[in-house]
Amino acid sequence: MKKLLLSAAVTATMFAASATHAAEYVIDTQGAHAFVNFKIKHLGYSWLHGRFNTFDGSFSYDSANPNASQIMVTIDTKSIDSNHAERDKHLRGGDFLNVDKFPTATFKSTSIKFDDDGDEADVTGELTLHGVTKTITFEIDKIGEGKDPWGGYRVGFEGETSLKLADFGIDYNLGPASTHVDIGLYIEGIRK
């Protein structure tokens, strides 16, 4: 029994030590090296593309223990931009994002599971959008990491997922081809 308890204590200590070695990164929104994009089918004939211009966040990452990583992103929903002022006004209103009542959307990871190569992962977490919180999963790819020309250190990832609008209380009828929106998260982080 003592050996089992000692083994559990050592394992817990090693896990805690490895989690504390993860570097902290700030998402590089200042340099515009990060994007939150979306696309949705328009009547089933084409794609409508857009993005959120204002967001911020941070993440922790250690290539030696990538599954201990975490990410947190906050999006200003008023910053939605589909390159069409009247449409954006409608998207900000009560039929869609209702930005006066729900000015932010947030995502906070609860687990990250990388493949054996450390290049691809499933990121699961809680997305709060339009006042509704749901567990979602992003499939992400690591783009790369290393020193930058200014003496810093960076790492970048991209990921996509598809959201059913009705799951988040957005039930405006856009037709049967437009029930889901694809979200793309493209982030480059600068190590603190």
Side-chain angles (χ1 to χ4, degrees):
M1 181 70 167
K2 285 183 182 178
K3 286 183 181 179
L4 182 61
L5 289 173
L6 181 59
S7 175
V10 169
T11 302
T13 302
M14 288 172 55
F15 179 76
S18 67
T20 60
H21 286 93
E24 296 295 321
Y25 291 81
V26 62
I27 295 174
D28 186 12
T29 56
Q30 295 297 317
H33 295 122
F35 307 91
V36 177
N37 297 342
F38 66 88
K39 69 178 184 176
I40 188 168
K41 284 188 178 175
H42 180 248
L43 304 175
Y45 305 132
S46 64
W47 288 99
L48 170 86
H49 288 260
R51 66 184 187 181
F52 291 92
N53 292 325
T54 306
F55 63 95
D56 62 16
S58 61
F59 62 93
S60 63
Y61 175 74
D62 176 8
S63 58
N65 187 15
N67 289 342
S69 303
Q70 297 179 337
I71 183 169
M72 173 67 182
V73 178
T74 301
I75 300 167
D76 177 356
T77 56
K78 291 180 213 168
S79 73
I80 194 167
D81 181 354
S82 69
N83 199 32
H84 189 280
E86 285 303 309
R87 178 172 50 229
D88 292 343
K89 183 177 177 183
H90 189 200
L91 292 174
R92 291 183 188 108
D95 288 336
F96 292 100
L97 294 175
N98 198 356
V99 300
D100 289 337
K101 188 173 181 181
F102 309 110
T104 60
T106 60
F107 176 77
K108 183 175 183 181
S109 65
T110 55
S111 76
I112 299 180
K113 295 178 182 175
F114 277 85
D115 64 9
D116 292 339
D117 295 330
D119 295 328
E120 298 177 354
D122 288 332
V123 178
T124 300
E126 301 296 316
L127 173 66
T128 300
L129 173 66
H130 197 248
V132 177
T133 301
K134 295 276 185 186
T135 299
I136 66 166
T137 298
F138 271 88
E139 293 180 0
I140 67 165
D141 294 313
K142 180 181 171 186
I143 304 304
E145 71 175 299
K147 294 179 181 178
D148 65 28
W150 309 281
Y153 194 89
R154 296 173 183 251
V155 62
F157 300 91
E158 66 178 1
E160 294 183 358
T161 194
S162 182
L163 306 176
K164 185 176 181 181
L165 293 173
D167 286 348
F168 293 90
I170 302 170
D171 54 9
Y172 188 83
N173 185 3
L174 293 169
S178 306
T179 59
H180 289 70
V181 61
D182 295 341
I183 302 291
L185 180 64
Y186 308 91
I187 60 172
E188 181 176 306
I190 305 171
R191 190 162 64 190
K192 294 180 185 180

